[in-house]
């Protein structure tokens, strides 16, 4: 009987959880399991940041585990972490890398792509990811980035031009996908402009009561 991906993910996540209890977290015998688990996440669109981070910790504390193919696993961990923006997963994973891993050409490319996202240079980001297959081969990568872009737009704009928003969301975006994104975010297309919402609605309003001492108020009242 073939197990559905969600059930398989739940079982692997539970195994990872118990494997990482106490000193078991750094058990080198579990590395192959964590790598298989990571590849499963990449293929089916799931995510377990703690387990993925643990792969990098195993490489960090047990360098003998590092093989020629280990850098490919590192790249996959970084890309999955990048998909969690605006979360800090990428920063945590990046901090575990050895200098050799950091100096790797594709690691540098992933770093450059992360910088473009974090600095909201979205058109340049879309151009940059066309050069490397890893970004488009990971299931859900494009959708995760578009979700982050929508998060930035929601925080930044009240109205945004339709054409400008479409370009930020990527050159492969179809009209139906664009309209679906508007629906998901409760945004409204009005002519050539997209109404994102009132920024004041996103700010918690607080009633401020200023109390003045009686000795300050008395001279003012006396003037009247």
């Amino acid at each position: 009987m073939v197990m559905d991906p969600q059930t398989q993910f739940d079982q692997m996540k539970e195994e990872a959880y118990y494997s990482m209890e106490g000193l078991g977290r750094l058990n080198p015998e579990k590395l192959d399991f964590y790598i298989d688990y990571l590849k499963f996440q990449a293929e089916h669109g799931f995510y377990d940041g703690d387990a993925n981070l643990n792969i990098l910790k195993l490489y960090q504390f047990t360098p003998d585990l590092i093989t020629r193919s280990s850098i490919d696993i590192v790249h996959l961990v970084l890309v999955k972490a990048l998909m969690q923006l605006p979360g800090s997963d990428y920063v945590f994973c990046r901090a575990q890398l050895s200098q050799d891993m950091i100096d790797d050409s594709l690691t540098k490319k992933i770093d450059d792509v992360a910088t473009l996202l974090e600095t909201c240079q979205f058109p340049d980001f879309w151009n940059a990811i066309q050069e490397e297959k890893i970004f488009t081969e990971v299931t859900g990568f494009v959708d995760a980035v578009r979700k982050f872009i929508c998060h930035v737009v929601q925080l930044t704009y009240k109205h945004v031009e339709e054409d400008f928003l479409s370009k930020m969301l990527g050159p492969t975006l179809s009209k139906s996908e664009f309209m679906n994104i508007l629906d998901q975010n409760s945004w409204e297309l009005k002519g050539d402009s997209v109404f994102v919402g009132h920024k004041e609605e996103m700010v918690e309003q607080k009633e401020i009561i200023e109390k003045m001492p009686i000795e300050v108020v008395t001279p003012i009242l006396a003037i009247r």
Side-chain angles (χ1 to χ4, degrees):
M1 180 178 179
V2 179
M3 192 180 302
D4 69 276
Q6 181 64 61
T7 301
Q8 189 171 349
F9 171 72
D10 291 340
Q11 290 186 359
M12 296 179 83
K13 185 173 183 177
E14 184 177 10
E15 181 177 348
Y17 174 80
Y18 287 112
S19 296
M20 291 186 293
E21 285 191 330
L23 296 177
R25 175 177 289 273
L26 297 179
N27 181 2
E29 295 180 359
K30 296 297 293 184
L31 178 61
D32 288 341
F33 164 74
Y34 292 128
I35 291 175
D36 289 342
Y37 185 28
L38 169 66
K39 292 177 179 179
F40 181 85
Q41 295 171 54
E43 180 181 356
H44 295 282
F46 296 109
Y47 184 67
D48 187 340
D50 196 23
N52 298 346
L53 182 66
N54 203 51
I55 294 175
L56 303 183
K57 288 186 178 295
L58 282 167
Y59 287 153
Q60 181 182 28
F61 291 104
T62 315
D64 291 344
L65 295 174
I66 299 175
T67 65
R68 296 181 66 179
S69 62
S70 296
I71 193 64
D72 296 330
I73 302 303
V74 170
H75 297 153
L76 193 53
V77 171
L78 291 177
V79 171
K80 288 295 290 182
L82 188 58
M83 293 168 61
Q84 310 311 310
L85 284 173
S88 55
D89 299 49
Y90 185 81
V91 175
F92 289 140
C93 289
R94 177 68 164 67
Q96 312 303 317
L97 304 188
S98 67
Q99 192 59 50
D100 287 342
M101 292 174 178
I102 292 172
D103 291 338
D104 174 79
S105 59
L106 184 50
T107 302
K108 290 181 177 179
K109 180 67 175 183
I110 297 171
D111 268 344
D112 291 341
V113 166
T115 299
L116 291 174
L117 271 181
E118 291 167 343
T119 56
C120 302
Q121 301 179 62
F122 300 130
D124 292 337
F125 159 82
W126 292 114
N127 290 330
I129 67 169
Q130 301 305 315
E131 302 170 10
E132 297 292 344
K133 294 189 299 182
I134 190 171
F135 297 110
T136 53
E137 288 180 343
V138 175
T139 299
F141 180 79
V142 170
D143 288 338
V145 170
R146 285 175 177 165
K147 184 177 180 180
F148 170 65
I149 293 173
C150 289
H151 168 77
V152 173
V153 169
Q154 185 73 54
L155 293 175
T156 309
Y157 296 96
K158 181 176 180 180
H159 293 275
V160 58
E161 291 299 315
E162 176 186 2
D163 184 60
F164 179 64
L165 177 59
S166 181
K167 288 179 180 178
M168 283 197 290
L169 292 170
T172 62
L173 185 72
S174 67
K175 182 66 174 182
S176 61
E177 288 174 324
F178 180 78
M179 296 306 298
N180 188 42
I181 288 174
L182 298 192
D183 289 340
Q184 290 174 352
N185 291 278
S186 300
W187 296 345
E188 184 179 356
L189 181 61
K190 295 183 176 181
D192 296 329
S193 179
V194 175
F195 177 70
V196 174
H198 297 285
K199 296 291 130 339
E200 55 268 24
E201 294 175 356
M202 302 173 60
V203 179
E204 181 180 357
Q205 296 184 358
K206 295 183 179 179
E207 182 180 1
I208 300 176
I209 301 176
E210 184 174 353
K211 296 182 179 180
M212 298 180 66
I214 187 64
E215 59 268 20
V216 175
V217 179
T218 301
I220 299 175
L221 298 176
I223 296 175
R224 299 178 63 121

